[in-house]
Amino acid sequence: MRQPLEGSQAIARAVVAARAQVVAAYPITPQTHIVEHIARMVADGAASCELVSVESEFSAASVVLGAAMAGSRAYTATASQGLLLMGEVLYNIAGLRVPLVMTVANRALSAPLSIWNDQQDSMAMRDAGWVQLYCSDNQEAVDTTIQAFRIAETLEVPVMVCVDGFTLTHTLEAIELPEQEVVDRFLPPYRFARALDPLHPKTFGTLVGPEYYAEMRELHHRALLAALEVIPRVDEEWAAATGRASGGLLRMEGDSEARTGVLTLGSIFGTLADAREVYADCRPLRLVHLRCFRPFPAAALRAAAAGLERLVVLERAISPGAGGIVTAEVRAALAELDRPPQVHGFAVGLGGRDVPLDLLPRLLASLPPRPGPFRIFDLDVQKLPEGGS
Amino acid sequence: MIEIRIHGRGGQGNVVAAYLLATAAIDEGWHAQAFPAFGAERRGAPVTAFVRLARFPFRRRNQILHPDFLIIQDPALLHVPGVLDGLKEGGAVLMDGTKPPAGVEAVALPATRLAQEYLGRPVPNTALAAAFFTLTGLLPLTALAGALKARFRGPVLEANLRLIEAAAAAVEAGRWRERIHATAP
Amino acid sequence: MTNETVSLDNLRANQPRFSGLTSGHRACLGCGQALAARLVLEAAGPDVMIANATGCLEIFTTPWPESAWRVPWLHSLFENTGAVAAGMEAALKAQGKSTRVLAFGGDGGTFDIGFQALSGMLERGHEVLYVCFDNEAYMNTGIQRSSSTPHAAATTTSPAGRARMGKRHLKKDILSIIAAHHIPYAATASVAYPADVRKKVRRALALPGPSFLLVHSPCPLGWGHEGALSIEVARLAVETGLFPLVELERGSVVGVLPLREPKPVTEYLKLQGRFAHLFADDPRAREELAHLQALADANIERYGLRATAGGLDTESADTVRRGGGQWA
């Protein structure tokens, strides 16, 4: 049944429904409501997890690492500065191959300080060895969170569920919460074969010399590549159980005859989808939501781009001095096609700048015959000082 | 689609007002979305919230630049530049207060005074939400009551339920019904 | 943007009382931190630079492109204030300059996430005055519990409900931890005693080496009271013994603000929404009230807060000293 729920509240309920036993978190806008809802459920006796209110995000990640290693399903949530502060631990968790789920309430990075939404934070952690899944609406946030536990525990790889901060976390909309029985059938009890156990004592986290480091990293790389198969399979199973698919590795919409496509990650997809319907000039158009950024679904992307002459990448981050992050990876993957589309890359909505409905028609109308250098599409040059630096 | 922008100050509950409007609509089978324009938590700071209501599914999440309706929870905000910006031709304004200022066409409801009377707190949000539903005829007051029941309990709930009846009675039912049809939900 | 250079002499002379934190900032009505920061700067004067942690103070004083600070001021991150201040101090020392370094942080940034950096700064003896504005929770992010949140207080991450009576854990005894660093001067203060705040700042800056000041700063929004009651609430915290005003030198207590007749903790608690659940007709609530009274009584005992002093009425007299140096 559709319920009116704030995104954060729905995610909190999903975490509790997934029977997370240990939740550790440190407050950071805009993740706060997720943890507050869990705390409220615990205070009212509606949830029985251990909620550890830690002294920093570095500790939040460390607490859930310890909990998962000791045999409990564990969860944390953070954003922006907090994600960076736990950076060292994220690499450690992934390298130790510990199953964990974390919500990242995507938020811009200081400096300049910002509490508003972009995806610079999760992009900064793309090489930590976690699965990264992006949600385009709050229903996907709920469904993907539950799927994330299944993916993590199947592959023994941690999963980051990226949910645009404020835009999704603080938005109230109609959401279907899955029944507890459905979740219980979908998520078997946590069983981590390598958990710390006095009956079967094992040693973890040791120094590894050059003789074996590369092989361990290869296994980690392969596990993430294996996710390319696991992620769509888990989504199909979830769709069979609930009637709702969450977008697999990526989701395509629009006109089959289109020669132009637009690809993005996260909540601005919805605005682009509506713009395509509202503005005739925006059709025919293919829209691609890249749900899975890590592992990078190169083959699926090549299939999705088949027949396109141009693909526009709209991303919510920038690598200063280089340009697009998603754009570069998309371009590299599509270069392997016999006739790769032109890839036009833009950053948009940095630091929480609103992405209006009419951005899409303006964008499409302004595309040059050949892709120019990566740029911030919605830059306001009037705000730059003279001389531009 | 009906787009509503609600202006208030931190502590006046305009974000909750937005959530209540959307909740009531969703409970009645509409598609709806409510969200604040965000900033650091602070009492007294201007806060804007947005609501979209439609009979068809929609997916956009951009801020509302051209609202069909404006709800102003603090009359002093009418002097803040930009508060009335973008109101659609034929759009309407509901404000807290007794009389719209010169040059502003609006329906005024002494919502803060009513709230003080019924709740003992100057939080005008529920009264204004009730007035909005009554003026537009969009949803029955019972839908708002249902949304209140999901969010509040005990004496606070009871007081709010009485307040919304009083607020609804204080405005002209269906005055804005034509404007709703004009916006083609 | 224009650059105006004003010599420090002129700055002081041009106003009757130095105002390092000026008006126009965006703090809530009755904000304890805003008052405390202003008092600290009045006493510290203009020849300072500030390292400020993330938090309410940082946010409401610097809505870009405006700033309420009239002294050099840097916000880096949440967890590194002690370290940033240490770096400033090292540079000024290397340059032979007299400018003093102040580090500002809330309880979250001091007791929790910034603790490591603070401890390191104190241990290495950097000549920095660290001021912690203690409003007993993470307020800027929406009232979440910190380790400074008092026992049984309700916050959004330690709410009161069927299964819980607010925060389960005690307020961290930060002063004992600071004392264990044996720094020249550490003290607690309260915005309800503004002259005392200024005096302690001057005392701290007069002594060489690191110093630490914990200033109790009510947050009307987070504590659940009207802004107009902030001073009264702060005073009651002191008068009940829940927030004792003490001074330490090299880890030993050298001065306290004595209480003639400590007030029962209920006088303080009943004014605040965050303790409202303790006044329900519930045996668990009564138990927590007794617990909080016991904490207050233990403070009074431990720090010798009762004003006896040979028949003299020393209530709130801040010139009463037991041991320590000869200064007013």
Side-chain angles (χ1 to χ4, degrees):
Chain A
M1 212 191 73
R2 291 162 81 236
Q3 287 181 61
L5 288 170
E6 193 204 24
S8 303
Q9 190 176 17
I11 292 168
R13 300 251 198 116
V15 170
V16 170
R19 302 194 189 272
Q21 276 193 325
V22 176
V23 175
Y26 183 84
I28 182 166
T29 306
Q31 148 267 48
T32 47
H33 290 188
I34 299 172
V35 184
E36 289 170 13
H37 284 300
I38 296 176
R40 167 53 56 198
M41 287 190 268
V42 170
D44 286 343
S48 59
C49 57
E50 286 291 319
L51 177 59
V52 186
S53 295
V54 286
E55 68 283 3
S56 81
E57 290 89 349
F58 182 83
S59 291
S62 305
V63 166
V64 295
L65 165 61
M69 285 297 309
S72 281
R73 182 171 286 154
Y75 168 84
T76 186
T78 191
S80 180
Q81 313 305 125
L83 187 66
L84 261 52
L85 187 60
M86 40 163 90
E88 188 188 3
V89 193
L90 296 186
Y91 279 76
N92 185 251
I93 288 167
L96 287 168
R97 301 288 307 281
V98 177
L100 274 174
V101 172
M102 167 166 67
T103 302
V104 175
N106 288 113
R107 164 183 146 178
L109 291 178
S110 175
L113 181 62
S114 166
I115 56 170
W116 293 276
N117 164 244
D118 70 27
Q119 293 166 357
Q120 195 78 33
D121 55 1
S122 54
M123 284 297 151
M125 288 297 135
R126 65 192 182 277
D127 298 329
W130 285 53
V131 167
Q132 273 196 5
L133 298 172
Y134 287 79
C135 303
S136 71
D137 63 29
N138 280 316
Q139 186 65 64
E140 284 178 22
V142 166
D143 294 335
T144 302
T145 298
I146 296 170
Q147 291 184 30
F149 286 102
R150 177 76 177 271
I151 295 163
E153 291 164 25
T154 300
L155 291 165
E156 294 183 354
V157 169
V159 179
M160 209 180 281
V161 179
C162 300
V163 179
D164 283 326
F166 284 141
T167 318
L168 290 181
T169 57
H170 286 53
T171 294
L172 182 139
E173 56 196 78
I175 300 181
E176 288 250 13
L177 289 178
E179 308 277 310
Q180 186 65 62
E181 308 80 63
V182 171
V183 179
D184 287 339
R185 273 197 300 274
F186 186 79
L187 272 186
Y190 183 80
R191 205 129 289 146
F192 181 39
R194 288 178 290 122
L196 297 165
D197 180 358
L199 295 177
H200 306 283
K202 299 186 182 70
T203 299
F204 298 92
T206 65
L207 184 67
V208 173
E211 313 78 52
Y212 271 106
Y213 188 96
E215 284 69 27
M216 288 192 180
R217 192 59 72 215
E218 167 72 11
L219 288 174
H220 183 189
H221 180 48
R222 286 190 191 180
L224 278 164
L225 292 174
L228 288 168
E229 182 271 326
V230 170
I231 289 166
R233 179 162 52 77
V234 166
D235 194 31
E236 276 159 25
E237 232 184 275
W238 182 254
T242 61
R244 294 188 304 273
S246 244
L249 292 174
L250 53 81
R251 188 170 78 242
M252 264 196 301
E253 284 181 20
D255 314 295
S256 48
E257 74 275 22
R259 293 286 160 258
T260 300
V262 177
L263 178 148
T264 195
L265 297 80
S267 63
I268 67 168
F269 184 81
T271 301
L272 297 176
D274 273 10
R276 185 191 143 274
E277 289 187 15
V278 168
Y279 296 101
D281 287 350
C282 293
R283 296 189 297 271
L285 186 68
R286 187 175 306 172
L287 287 172
V288 180
H289 180 250
L290 191 65
R291 175 181 188 239
C292 180
F293 184 66
R294 281 293 181 270
F296 190 78
L301 184 62
R302 282 191 285 272
L308 290 179
E309 285 163 10
R310 309 185 292 188
L311 180 64
V312 178
V313 176
L314 277 185
E315 55 184 293
R316 311 293 311 287
I318 184 170
S319 183
I325 296 166
V326 179
T327 301
E329 297 197 13
V330 167
R331 195 173 273 140
L334 297 183
E336 295 185 30
L337 286 169
D338 288 335
R339 290 178 46 203
Q342 289 183 341
V343 177
H344 298 252
F346 302 95
V348 75
L350 297 181
R353 181 163 296 177
D354 189 51
V355 174
L357 200 63
D358 70 349
L359 180 126
L360 183 64
R362 283 188 286 115
L363 170 78
L364 295 174
S366 71
L367 288 179
R370 302 180 53 78
F374 184 86
R375 65 184 179 91
I376 298 172
F377 182 76
D378 51 356
L379 188 71
D380 182 349
V381 292
Q382 309 279 3
K383 293 180 184 163
L384 296 173
E386 292 181 24
S389 69
Chain B
M1 174 180 292
I2 298 157
E3 296 186 307
I4 307 157
R5 203 167 67 207
I6 310 178
H7 292 276
R9 292 192 189 277
Q12 289 182 325
N14 60 327
V15 178
V16 171
Y19 285 174
L20 287 171
L21 291 177
T23 298
I26 291 168
D27 286 342
E28 293 285 306
W30 289 59
H31 296 270
Q33 173 195 90
F35 58 99
F38 316 88
E41 318 269 345
R42 208 171 61 251
R43 255 185 202 164
V47 176
T48 305
F50 307 99
V51 184
R52 288 192 168 96
L53 308 173
R55 289 304 214 171
F56 54 86
F58 60 89
R59 293 189 281 174
R60 74 201 68 169
R61 295 178 184 277
N62 52 307
Q63 293 186 354
I64 296 171
L65 298 174
H66 302 289
D68 299 294
F69 297 98
L70 283 169
I71 301 178
I72 314 289
Q73 300 211 170
D74 180 344
L77 287 171
L78 285 164
H79 303 293
V80 172
V83 165
L84 296 174
D85 279 2
L87 182 65
K88 280 206 186 96
E89 180 89 33
V93 180
L94 168 65
M95 57 171 277
D96 172 48
T98 46
K99 207 167 89 96
V104 176
E105 199 197 311
V107 169
L109 170 76
T112 302
R113 185 173 60 67
L114 280 170
Q116 190 70 59
E117 194 185 316
Y118 282 80
L119 307 176
R121 291 172 61 226
V123 185
N125 59 347
T126 48
L128 287 168
F132 178 76
F133 279 148
T134 307
L135 286 161
T136 57
L138 207 58
L139 290 169
L141 208 60
T142 48
L144 180 60
L148 287 169
K149 285 173 190 157
R151 191 171 279 271
F152 301 109
R153 284 185 296 212
V156 175
L157 171 62
E158 298 307 318
N160 266 298
L161 290 173
R162 285 193 297 274
L163 171 60
I164 62 170
E165 297 287 341
V171 295
E172 187 191 325
R175 176 174 171 154
W176 288 349
R177 204 183 294 274
E178 287 313 306
R179 298 182 199 249
I180 291 290
H181 290 139
T183 61
Chain C
M1 284 174 261
T2 62
N3 271 333
E4 229 186 270
T5 310
V6 180
S7 86
L8 292 171
D9 293 335
N10 285 347
L11 193 66
R12 190 100 207 192
N14 283 344
Q15 50 207 333
R17 185 161 70 188
F18 174 66
S19 179
L21 174 63
T22 193
S23 59
H25 58 71
R26 316 290 207 257
C28 301
L29 289 174
C31 172
Q33 268 196 81
L35 174 58
R38 178 162 67 79
L39 293 170
V40 169
L41 280 172
E42 278 170 9
D47 194 11
V48 297
M49 57 175 65
I50 297 175
N52 208 132
T54 310
C56 270
L57 181 65
E58 169 259 319
I59 290 286
F60 71 67
T61 54
T62 58
W64 192 86
E66 297 166 22
S67 170
W69 300 101
R70 304 190 64 203
V71 294
W73 183 95
L74 171 66
H75 162 247
S76 168
L77 298 170
F78 206 173
E79 68 276 19
N80 62 357
T81 307
V84 171
M88 290 176 176
E89 184 259 9
L92 291 167
K93 193 158 79 183
Q95 295 166 56
K97 293 211 169 122
S98 67
T99 304
R100 301 302 301 273
V101 178
L102 307 178
F104 285 174
D107 50 285
T110 305
F111 287 50
D112 294 346
I113 199 171
F115 186 70
Q116 174 185 308
L118 167 62
S119 181
M121 183 197 93
L122 298 178
E123 179 266 328
R124 294 187 304 268
H126 293 275
E127 191 157 80
V128 173
L129 166 57
Y130 190 108
V131 182
C132 173
F133 301 100
D134 187 7
N135 59 20
E136 301 184 333
Y138 290 94
M139 294 309 188
N140 193 246
T141 44
I143 320 165
Q144 294 88 18
R145 66 85 99 191
S146 77
S147 63
S148 170
T149 304
H151 177 78
T155 67
T156 58
T157 47
S158 65
R162 274 191 291 279
R164 291 274 191 275
M165 291 296 285
K167 185 181 182 235
R168 288 175 289 170
H169 310 107
L170 297 176
K171 182 182 173 81
K172 186 186 277 190
D173 182 7
I174 195 79
L175 208 58
S176 294
I177 300 171
I178 300 297
H181 288 70
H182 299 289
I183 56 174
Y185 184 75
T188 54
S190 165
V191 292
Y193 298 83
D196 184 64
V197 174
R198 285 193 288 258
K199 185 203 67 192
K200 285 170 173 166
V201 169
R202 285 194 295 273
R203 178 68 188 148
L205 292 174
L207 291 169
S211 44
F212 179 87
L213 196 56
L214 182 71
V215 187
H216 205 214
S217 312
C219 168
L221 185 66
W223 294 16
H225 61 78
E226 290 303 309
L229 288 182
S230 289
I231 299 299
E232 184 177 337
V233 167
R235 187 172 301 118
L236 281 165
V238 174
E239 289 175 328
T240 54
L242 278 174
F243 195 92
L245 297 191
V246 303
E247 294 171 283
L248 299 146
E249 288 178 10
R250 298 275 175 213
S252 301
V253 177
V254 298
V256 302
L257 189 139
L259 307 174
R260 186 197 324 126
E261 250 192 60
K263 300 215 165 93
V265 297
T266 44
E267 299 275 303
Y268 168 64
L269 302 172
K270 73 186 184 198
L271 294 179
Q272 303 167 64
R274 64 180 174 154
F275 293 112
H277 57 287
L278 298 182
F279 294 91
D281 184 14
D282 181 337
R284 293 176 308 162
R286 287 190 282 279
E287 194 184 321
E288 296 300 359
L289 283 178
H291 194 163
L292 285 164
Q293 187 61 61
L295 286 170
D297 294 340
N299 283 342
I300 292 167
E301 181 70 41
R302 174 188 185 186
Y303 289 110
L305 298 180
R306 284 202 178 271
T308 47
L312 292 172
D313 181 354
T314 55
E315 166 79 31
S316 296
D318 63 6
T319 55
V320 174
R321 292 283 163 264
R322 290 162 206 179
Q326 300 297 310
W327 37 269

